[in-house]
Amino acid sequence: MNMPNKLSTLRILLVPIIIYLLLLNTLVSSIAALAVFILAALTDKYDGYYARKYDLITTLGKILDPLADKMLIIGVFTAFVEIGVLSTWPLLIIVARELAVTGLRVVAADQGSVIPANIWGKTKTTIQMITAIALIINPKIFNLPFILTEGLVWLTVLITIYSGYTYFAGAKVDYS
């Protein structure tokens, strides 16, 4: 297994640790969750960097990287719902978008086409990670203004919806 795939695998392995720490819902566990989440987010940055720089793009990596991203974000946002930091609606929208785009990619693959990540998908992942960090920080570590955290949540939702739209709008698939 090459380095980018090892980084994606590490991200997957960090997900249950982050969720466990978030569910403990203490100051110490929140600080630890923040540190582990940042480590996981960095693996997302560097797995792609190394894969492109050293031409280590593999079929396994094309599956592992987005799977790791989905597991991280959906897992963390689910923990936020469980501890009462986030309402269910943003989580449902995020999950619905991920399932829809994954389904679209399966249909495209069945028709011999690949739908690569686009700038809106990358922006979506980045804003989701920033929002997750803000929600981990608030209020246990640092009390952020409500308007900031709530604004980030709904900005995340809007970008999530729009990024999904861009995939469907640009897809060259036969839906019949």
Side-chain angles (χ1 to χ4, degrees):
M1 185 180 297
N2 66 27
M3 179 59 76
N5 292 346
K6 286 178 182 176
L7 289 170
S8 292
T9 301
L10 174 61
R11 188 159 66 257
I12 290 169
L13 295 173
L14 292 174
V15 171
I17 296 167
I18 297 165
I19 292 169
Y20 174 76
L21 292 168
L22 288 171
L23 294 177
L24 289 176
N25 204 18
T26 68
L27 174 61
V28 172
S29 68
S30 294
I31 292 169
L34 177 63
V36 178
F37 183 85
I38 289 171
L39 174 63
L42 289 173
T43 68
D44 183 39
K45 175 181 169 63
Y46 287 108
D47 66 357
Y49 170 78
Y50 285 121
R52 286 184 298 277
K53 181 172 180 169
Y54 298 107
D55 195 28
L56 297 172
I57 297 169
T58 64
T59 301
L60 177 61
K62 290 178 185 178
I63 296 167
L64 273 181
D65 179 51
L67 176 64
D69 290 346
K70 288 168 183 40
M71 289 176 68
L72 178 62
I73 294 302
I74 291 171
V76 168
F77 278 54
T78 300
F80 292 149
V81 170
E82 179 67 24
I83 62 175
V85 174
L86 183 70
S87 72
T88 306
W89 283 109
L91 172 64
L92 290 175
I93 292 167
I94 289 168
V95 170
R97 182 265 186 214
E98 297 304 338
L99 291 173
V101 171
T102 299
L104 176 66
R105 284 188 163 131
V106 168
V107 169
D110 185 56
Q111 296 175 12
S113 179
V114 174
I115 299 176
N118 67 26
I119 188 65
W120 285 104
K122 293 173 192 251
T123 301
K124 175 222 30 132
T125 300
T126 301
I127 193 70
Q128 286 175 342
M129 290 190 180
I130 290 168
T131 301
I133 289 169
L135 292 174
I136 293 170
I137 289 172
N138 188 58
K140 290 255 186 302
I141 300 170
F142 184 79
N143 200 9
L144 298 170
F146 175 79
I147 189 79
L148 175 64
T149 56
E150 195 67 13
L152 275 172
V153 166
W154 290 107
L155 177 62
T156 298
V157 166
L158 290 174
I159 290 174
T160 297
I161 292 168
Y162 185 73
S163 73
Y165 164 78
T166 65
Y167 283 103
F168 278 88
K172 309 267 191 289
V173 297
D174 178 13
Y175 295 106
S176 58

